[in-house]
Amino acid sequence: MTNETTTTTETGAETNLSTGRMAGGGVDVKATVAAAAAASPKKTSTDQVALSLNNVGVWYGQHEAVQGVSFDIYQRATTALIGPSGCGKSTLLRCFNRMNDLIPGTRVTGTISVEGVDIMGKDVDAVQLRRHVGMVFQKPNPFPMSIKENIAFGPKRLGLAKSKSQMDDLIEESLRDAALWDEVKDKLDEPGTSLSGGQQQRLCIARVLAVKPDIILMDEPCSALDPIATLKIEDLMRTLAKDYTIVVVTHNMQQAARVSDWTAFLLAGEERTGRLIEYSPTEQLFTTPRDKRTEDYITGRFG
Amino acid sequence: MPREAFQKQLSHLQDLVLEMGSMVDRAVDRSMTALLDRDPSIARTVVDNDKAVNAKNFECQNEVISLITQQAPMARDLRLVVSVAAIMTDLERMGDHAEGIARIVIMMQDEPLVKPLIDIPIMAGHAREMLRESIQAFVDQDVEAAYAVGKRDDEVDSLYDRIYHDLIQIMIGDPSTIEPSTHLLWVAHNLERIGDRATNIAERTVYSATGNLPQMDVSSY
């Protein structure tokens, strides 16, 4: 175990990420990871941690929306957050790039670390953080500008391209990585809003990729899309997970089963406070969940 | 209870397993009666009825497919549904083994027995009990009962061993008995396979109930 920890730290330093700390709280993450290692040969307890939550709680004024959530999200894997409406999954996701800062009266407790840094720290610049932790929303929201300008917007502000040709390369690369290039390469100057819903969503993903993030958050990314567009986004998520850490909130359990490596199930009780019930490798969670409440939810026997 | 229609579909699948289980049990019983009474007409009914056993399997497999399509079962439900499909395949094969015994009876006509039928009926009794107990364990999702079925297969296997060696000795002693001895050996072999298939059903029962698929018994045949 000592050796494994050392390896994690060394590689962690190389990739500038936090060490694999096991968090306490509502779920025994150590046991989960050990079970996971047994259940899924690809994932082991020495996997690099991208995002570490320790006893995270979220308050909207006097209302506690999320309580005591602790788990580690692994690098270059897709983690799905599932649970019924109001379980706090979107609230939790929005903590990961401090989108909750924008909602007055919101308070986040506990620690969330990205690259070993507590992102709730006062010295952390939320704008810089959001460059590392990008987000894709429910409804595609291209800026009211051309396809090209949509992609160039972030890199321009961050000074990521030193010349026009560098910027053109970055635009092409981002659109290619978002599996959109072939469909738009001849109309880069047309407005982003002229694209179909699925294409707009891939444009938004390309826009996120253009600023070279480490983590991509997706909040119900396919809920406004038709099945074909949905499958395209899901394929894209599978491809992107080779290079990025993806965290996706979805109401669609089949989607979670299709795209994710890990699944976290959250549930709120009478008092409407969401808690983490189970965090397992996706295959395990959907075939042999450990918690009765997970079983009841995924088999549709709730209430 | 939410998903009432789904729940009904699930219990219907279990009913089909029960129904198929009794069809196959009856086939094994009749094939043994045909052997003991040396009655080819009973044997012929077993052969004819096997078509109904096969049809029941197809009916059930189709229901499994449409249930997966329509209901996208998860967790325990998913394990149950895929287990039903596997169990029906095992039952269908057990039906074929009963039919195999019946066909041997037809083939034997009135050839004299090379040895009295003692061990083979005992073996058939064990195999049928394993069949019934495995189906009951599945319907009750009873893991302990399932493991008990796995243990019983050892008895069937050792009976088979004994019958096999007896028949080999008889064949060595008098080569003219080779054909009638082989007929009885085939009967015993079919019964041995029925025991193995019952063990498969017991394994599926454990999987359905717990999510672990154990290997209960490695048969040497």
Side-chain angles (χ1 to χ4, degrees):
Chain A
M1 200 59 214
T2 318
N3 285 342
E4 284 173 2
T5 313
T6 315
T7 316
T8 310
T9 314
E10 278 171 8
T11 341
E14 189 192 319
T15 52
N16 192 25
L17 271 144
S18 71
T19 55
R21 179 180 53 76
M22 300 299 176
V27 165
D28 184 351
V29 176
K30 237 177 221 169
T32 305
V33 171
S40 167
K42 281 181 288 184
K43 302 289 162 197
T44 69
S45 57
T46 55
D47 270 4
Q48 295 287 300
V49 174
L51 224 155
S52 189
L53 286 78
N54 190 12
N55 201 23
V56 173
V58 185
W59 292 81
Y60 291 132
Q62 292 304 303
H63 173 60
E64 191 174 20
V66 173
Q67 189 190 72
V69 173
S70 303
F71 69 108
D72 288 341
I73 289 175
Y74 297 101
Q75 246 190 59
R76 283 185 275 282
T78 299
T79 300
L81 307 182
I82 64 166
S85 298
C87 72
K89 55 192 188 299
S90 289
T91 299
L92 192 63
L93 187 79
R94 283 198 299 265
C95 293
F96 300 164
N97 67 347
R98 282 181 48 181
M99 292 293 282
N100 287 324
D101 286 13
L102 308 173
I103 305 169
T106 307
R107 192 157 52 84
V108 179
T109 58
T111 53
I112 301 175
S113 27
V114 174
E115 301 182 4
V117 176
D118 180 1
I119 60 164
M120 255 106 65
K122 286 198 164 49
D123 49 340
V124 172
D125 175 7
V127 175
Q128 274 302 318
L129 171 69
R130 288 176 201 141
R131 195 202 139 182
H132 291 286
V133 188
M135 194 159 194
V136 176
F137 299 87
Q138 226 175 83
K139 259 186 79 185
N141 55 350
F143 299 139
M145 48 182 82
S146 74
I147 291 169
K148 206 164 137 182
E149 287 162 340
N150 260 280
I151 308 296
F153 188 84
K156 221 182 264 174
R157 303 194 92 196
L158 295 162
L160 294 185
K162 289 184 179 63
S163 63
K164 188 188 172 297
S165 76
Q166 258 187 16
M167 182 60 88
D168 287 345
D169 288 348
L170 183 59
I171 290 168
E172 179 173 342
E173 187 192 326
S174 305
L175 287 167
R176 276 191 193 282
D177 288 349
L180 188 58
W181 175 252
D182 289 337
E183 290 161 60
V184 301
K185 62 181 180 214
D186 301 322
K187 47 179 179 181
L188 293 174
D189 292 316
E190 286 179 27
T193 49
S194 68
L195 298 172
S196 75
Q199 288 172 327
Q200 286 187 26
Q201 196 61 307
R202 278 179 282 147
L203 178 65
C204 294
I205 292 172
R207 196 173 64 191
V208 168
L209 298 181
V211 297
K212 312 275 181 203
D214 301 307
I215 301 171
I216 303 171
L217 308 178
M218 299 186 172
D219 191 356
E220 294 274 0
C222 303
S223 63
L225 306 181
D226 70 38
I228 303 289
T230 296
L231 291 177
K232 278 188 188 161
I233 299 284
E234 288 181 4
D235 280 350
L236 177 58
M237 288 168 76
R238 276 333 243 163
T239 313
L240 292 176
K242 291 182 186 121
D243 300 308
Y244 300 89
T245 302
I246 298 178
V247 188
V248 57
V249 161
T250 175
H251 264 119
N252 181 337
M253 273 186 290
Q254 296 297 329
Q255 178 168 70
R258 282 193 298 265
V259 302
S260 72
D261 303 293
W262 292 82
T263 300
F265 170 58
L266 287 94
L267 184 65
E270 293 285 307
E271 75 299 354
R272 296 189 297 119
T273 299
R275 290 182 190 80
L276 178 64
I277 302 298
E278 179 165 352
Y279 176 51
S280 299
T282 297
E283 196 187 320
Q284 184 188 313
L285 189 127
F286 285 107
T287 55
T288 45
R290 285 174 295 121
D291 195 290
K292 173 90 171 50
R293 291 164 292 181
T294 314
E295 172 105 28
D296 285 347
Y297 178 68
I298 63 174
T299 59
R301 287 189 177 76
F302 236 67
Chain B
M1 186 67 157
R3 300 192 83 176
E4 224 169 279
F6 177 45
Q7 202 62 261
K8 272 191 192 139
Q9 281 175 292
L10 285 179
S11 30
H12 186 239
L13 279 186
Q14 282 171 302
D15 290 347
L16 283 177
V17 170
L18 270 175
E19 207 181 318
M20 180 84 158
S22 358
M23 286 168 88
V24 172
D25 183 45
R26 202 178 316 130
V28 179
D29 183 31
R30 276 198 196 155
S31 68
M32 285 309 295
T33 306
L35 176 69
L36 292 166
D37 296 356
R38 306 300 298 271
D39 185 343
S41 69
I42 299 179
R44 256 174 236 115
T45 63
V46 175
V47 173
D48 290 344
N49 283 343
D50 193 55
K51 290 183 194 76
V53 172
N54 294 346
K56 186 58 74 181
N57 178 36
F58 281 122
E59 179 193 335
C60 183
Q61 302 288 352
N62 283 330
E63 258 187 54
V64 164
I65 290 165
S66 62
L67 194 141
I68 291 174
T69 316
Q70 295 164 0
Q71 301 284 3
M74 290 281 194
R76 185 178 290 276
D77 299 335
L78 178 64
R79 301 199 306 265
L80 182 86
V81 170
V82 297
S83 296
V84 165
I87 287 171
M88 288 304 267
T89 305
D90 278 320
L91 285 171
E92 189 272 326
R93 296 295 298 166
M94 286 160 125
D96 290 346
H97 291 305
E99 188 198 353
I101 294 170
R103 285 189 185 279
I104 291 160
V105 172
I106 296 168
M107 220 186 293
M108 284 166 78
Q109 295 179 327
D110 45 11
E111 80 185 6
L113 290 173
V114 295
K115 74 187 212 79
L117 292 173
I118 297 165
D119 287 342
I120 288 179
I122 296 175
M123 207 181 159
H126 280 306
R128 281 184 63 201
E129 274 168 40
M130 283 178 73
L131 161 59
R132 285 198 296 263
E133 282 162 15
S134 66
I135 295 295
Q136 197 56 51
F138 178 70
V139 171
D140 299 341
Q141 294 287 295
D142 184 338
V143 174
E144 250 176 72
Y147 275 106
V149 171
K151 289 217 175 68
R152 284 200 79 153
D153 196 38
D154 296 343
E155 295 169 44
V156 173
D157 284 351
S158 65
L159 275 167
Y160 179 63
D161 271 344
R162 204 158 84 199
I163 293 165
Y164 177 85
H165 288 292
D166 287 355
L167 288 169
I168 293 287
Q169 286 309 316
I170 291 168
M171 288 189 256
I172 291 169
D174 177 4
S176 76
T177 63
I178 288 180
E179 198 177 344
S181 296
T182 307
H183 287 153
L184 292 185
L185 195 55
W186 286 345
V187 170
H189 181 72
N190 276 303
L191 293 171
E192 190 277 326
R193 297 302 299 155
I194 289 172
D196 283 350
R197 297 275 173 185
T199 308
N200 287 355
I201 294 174
E203 288 172 352
R204 283 289 154 188
T205 298
V206 175
Y207 171 72
S208 181
T210 67
N212 299 314
L213 186 58
Q215 174 99 36
M216 283 189 186
D217 177 57
V218 185
S219 174
S220 34
Y221 308 108

